[in-house]
């Protein structure tokens, strides 16, 4: 960021200041997501937005070393309490918050004091992955599905469901129709294109999906939608959990990523000579992701609770396999109905959850897919049954492996993956490993009940 960039940002922010003042905005929440998937924030009074746009606001680098419980780890590259970074609002995405009167929001970008992008900046990493993809001639579109559990306000960590009735049942929608309308109204006012909203399976569980956009935009939208759901819930005296496993038993909250790539405006997941209309490139892109899924879980299913969710027959996609509309394989190919494939076809990564930093998850998937294209990787046979119903021999014959059953197994796979390690850069990759190992140690003797309680209301 040079002098000219700063001046331009300042002038632009001054125009925005006047527009936001007319909408009674008093302050802008500038967020970034840390390495354990927690959205952190600095608030900027509207009057100083122009200065924040030009110079950023100070933010300690130590947050990249925080565990879920706000304790910082130490490690070879783990940032400590010394030093300062500058958090800049991305003015292109500034949004007036409908459920937080007087507030606007902008995703933040972190620079060092010389004006260089901070090497740990997760959002910049997604941008880097998008640029690498563009360099190879491709564009990507993505969306993240949000599942959440609504609880009554209660003292302590207890979960008391605030939605009742059968899974996917109209009874749930009727019970919470005012609340769900408020969520939709707020998101519409914030220009978020919602595609679906519905009751889910687990006690108190709901789900919302949004339209696909560019990967950085999709990760930004995900942050905005979650915070909007949180705000509307709190205004209704309710509490929200995005944790992968709110209770030790039953179905968890996923954070499924939908992803497709295109060349010259043509969706490569449709109209090709490969399986179910995929092009060869889409197959290789998918194979690149499939082969690296165990390692990718370090960013996609990065908490101890993730592995309480990631079990067979819970629609979490616990097997490293893919299939057409298969909800028990980690990768579910979605083609859309006949006639809509060009816009609809995509691959859904089901094994990811919402303890993930969406920018890291998105970057990991894009780098893995791109590596698959570079390797011209062949895609395994699709699976059209629930892998859990196959015997060990059959699984072996199809080359299907269960995904890591613990965070430790995922870390081992990530450490062995040269491509991802290089793409993330040694300082960030090493720190991710150190953080995961510290969490494993923290929960070494914890029961499932203790893990779910500790992470229930954090994200
Ligand atoms: N709740 C399930 C999960 O943990 C997903 C259900 C669905 O397929 O939408 O991922
Ligand atoms: Mg769902």
């Amino acid at each position: 960021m040079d002098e000219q960039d700063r001046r331009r940002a300042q002038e632009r922010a001054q125009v925005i200041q006047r527009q936001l003042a007319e909408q009674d905005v008093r302050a802008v929440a500038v967020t970034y997501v840390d390495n354990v998937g927690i959205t952190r924030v600095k608030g900027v009074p509207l009057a100083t937005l122009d200065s924040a746009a030009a110079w950023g606001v100070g933010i300690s680098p130590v947050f990249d070393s925080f565990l879920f419980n706000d304790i910082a780890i130490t490690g070879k590259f783990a940032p400590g309490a010394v030093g300062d970074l500058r958090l800049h609002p991305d003015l292109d995405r500034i949004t007036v918050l409908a459920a937080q009167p007087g507030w606007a929001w902008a995703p933040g970008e972190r620079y060092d004091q010389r004006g260089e992008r901070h090497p740990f900046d997760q959002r910049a990493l997604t941008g880097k992955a998008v640029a690498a993809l563009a360099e190879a001639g491709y564009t990507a579109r993505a969306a993240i599905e949000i599942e959440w559990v609504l609880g009554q306000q209660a003292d302590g960590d207890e979960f008391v469901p605030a939605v009742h009735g059968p899974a996917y049942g109209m009874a749930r929608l009727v019970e919470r129709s005012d609340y769900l309308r408020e969520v939709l109204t707020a998101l519409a006012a914030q220009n978020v294109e919602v595609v679906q909203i519905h009751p889910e399976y687990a006690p108190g569980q709901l789900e919302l999906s949004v339209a696909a956009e560019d990967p950085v935009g999709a990760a930004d939208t995900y942050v905005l939608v979650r915070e909007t759901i949180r705000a509307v819930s709190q205004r209704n005296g309710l509490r929200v959990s995005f944790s992968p496993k709110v209770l030790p038993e039953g179905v968890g909250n996923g954070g499924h990523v939908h992803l497709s790539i295109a060349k010259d405006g043509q969706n490569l997941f449709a109209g090709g000579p490969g399986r179910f209309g995929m092009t060869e490139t889409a197959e290789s892109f998918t194979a690149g992701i499939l082969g690296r899924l165990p390692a990718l879980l370090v960013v996609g299913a990065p908490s101890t609770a993730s592995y309480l969710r990631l079990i067979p027959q819970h629609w979490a996609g616990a097997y490293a396999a893919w299939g057409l509309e298969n909800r028990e394989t980690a990768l579910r190919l979605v083609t859309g109905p006949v006639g809509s494939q060009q816009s609809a076809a995509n691959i859904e990564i089901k094994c990811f959850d919402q303890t993930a930093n969406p920018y890291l998850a998105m970057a990991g998937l894009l780098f893995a897919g791109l590596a698959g294209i570079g390797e011209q990787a062949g895609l395994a046979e699709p699976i059209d049954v629930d892998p859990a119903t196959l015997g060990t021999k059959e699984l072996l014959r199809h080359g299907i492996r269960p995904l890591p059953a613990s965070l430790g197994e995922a870390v081992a796979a990530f450490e062995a993956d040269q491509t991802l390690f290089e793409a993330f850069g040694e300082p960030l990759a090493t720190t991710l490993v150190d953080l995961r190992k510290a969490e494993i140690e923290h929960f070494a003797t914890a029961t499932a009940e203790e893990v779910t309680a500790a992470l229930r209301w954090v994200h």
Side-chain angles (χ1 to χ4, degrees):
M1 184 166 260
D2 60 23
E3 214 184 304
Q4 207 186 5
D5 295 331
R6 292 187 196 281
R7 202 175 39 247
R8 239 186 264 132
Q10 183 158 28
E11 283 166 11
R12 195 138 170 251
Q14 283 162 353
V15 175
I16 293 171
Q17 275 171 320
R18 286 191 286 277
Q19 291 164 346
L20 294 187
E22 276 166 26
Q23 298 176 68
D24 291 326
V25 169
R26 301 289 155 82
V28 182
V30 187
T31 58
Y32 96 101
V33 185
D34 72 10
N35 289 323
V36 295
I38 294 174
T39 302
R40 312 245 178 213
V41 67
K42 282 278 177 125
V44 180
L46 189 59
T48 60
L49 183 69
D50 58 340
S51 148
W55 301 104
V57 289
I59 188 162
S60 166
V62 76
F63 300 120
D64 279 325
S65 304
F66 269 27
L67 287 174
F68 76 94
N69 57 5
D70 298 341
I71 305 284
I73 62 154
T74 51
K76 187 170 175 203
F77 299 98
V82 178
D84 200 29
L85 298 170
R86 310 303 298 180
L87 182 70
H88 293 246
D90 181 343
L91 299 175
D92 288 334
R93 194 61 206 256
I94 222 158
T95 305
V96 177
L97 293 176
Q100 287 167 257
W103 285 88
W105 161 85
E109 304 180 325
R110 292 181 303 155
Y111 290 82
D112 64 20
Q113 291 189 324
R114 292 164 306 161
E116 302 292 330
R117 201 72 179 256
H118 182 46
F120 278 74
D121 192 81
Q122 297 86 351
R123 193 168 181 263
L125 191 71
T126 314
K128 220 169 122 184
V130 169
L133 209 61
E135 179 84 6
Y138 309 106
T139 54
R141 287 170 65 72
I144 305 175
E145 284 180 13
I146 296 177
E147 295 183 332
W148 76 99
V149 158
L150 204 56
Q152 304 284 0
Q153 282 294 1
D155 294 332
D157 296 330
E158 200 192 351
F159 165 59
V160 184
V163 188
H164 306 89
Y168 311 102
M170 182 64 184
R172 290 196 191 187
L173 194 144
V174 172
E175 182 186 7
R176 286 292 168 199
S177 58
D178 286 345
Y179 163 79
L180 292 170
R181 185 201 62 238
E182 282 174 38
V183 170
L184 290 175
T185 305
L187 292 175
Q190 293 167 189
N191 295 320
V192 173
E193 195 183 328
V194 175
V195 177
Q196 269 191 46
I197 187 162
H198 62 88
E200 249 290 342
Y201 192 94
Q205 197 177 32
L206 302 163
E207 173 171 341
L208 185 149
S209 49
V210 295
E213 55 193 306
D214 71 277
V216 175
D220 289 341
T221 295
Y222 167 81
V223 172
L224 177 62
V225 172
R226 274 178 34 138
E227 296 314 319
T228 303
I229 290 171
R230 195 192 314 277
V232 173
S233 303
Q234 286 183 7
R235 290 172 81 78
N236 279 274
L238 302 166
R239 167 179 226 209
V240 64
S241 175
F242 301 102
S243 172
K245 201 74 167 181
V246 179
L247 296 171
E249 302 302 322
V251 164
N253 286 320
H256 308 172
V257 181
H258 288 266
L259 194 56
S260 66
I261 51 166
K263 194 179 181 87
D264 304 325
Q266 291 297 306
N267 183 350
L268 297 180
F269 279 86
R275 261 82 47 94
F276 312 112
M278 275 192 275
T279 62
E280 242 171 72
T281 312
E283 287 206 357
S284 290
F285 182 80
T286 305
I289 292 173
L290 183 57
R292 290 180 177 81
L293 272 182
L296 285 168
L297 293 183
V298 157
V299 287
S303 74
T304 313
S306 299
Y307 297 84
L308 298 171
R309 163 187 172 259
L310 199 51
I311 51 178
Q313 304 198 308
H314 285 64
W315 287 13
Y319 288 91
W322 74 282
L324 177 66
E325 295 290 3
N326 192 334
R327 288 181 169 79
E328 285 296 346
T329 52
L331 301 185
R332 167 188 170 213
L333 179 71
V334 178
T335 58
V338 174
S340 75
Q341 294 100 322
Q342 189 42 239
S343 62
N346 68 85
I347 193 83
E348 179 186 34
I349 295 89
K350 288 187 69 77
C351 50
F352 283 16
D353 65 61
Q354 297 176 72
T355 49
N357 175 316
Y359 304 99
L360 292 180
M362 207 62 87
L365 290 171
L366 295 177
F367 282 127
L370 192 56
I373 295 176
E375 294 153 1
Q376 297 185 312
L379 183 60
E381 287 303 311
I383 303 302
D384 62 1
V385 294
D386 173 358
T389 62
L390 299 175
T392 322
K393 255 205 199 137
E394 277 291 281
L395 286 176
L396 218 63
R397 196 172 67 78
H398 289 289
I400 303 175
R401 281 168 305 134
L403 283 173
S406 69
L407 186 53
E409 283 178 39
V411 169
F414 184 73
E415 284 182 300
D417 195 307
Q418 203 59 31
T419 308
L420 290 177
F421 225 80
E422 267 170 31
F424 279 71
E426 197 190 356
L428 177 58
T430 306
T431 303
L432 290 172
V433 167
D434 291 344
L435 281 163
R436 305 301 178 251
K437 286 184 174 169
E439 186 177 312
I440 293 166
E441 202 183 313
H442 179 89
F443 285 123
T445 59
T447 61
E449 179 56 61
E450 286 164 346
V451 170
T452 51
L455 289 160
R456 191 171 290 143
W457 308 111
V458 173
H459 290 84

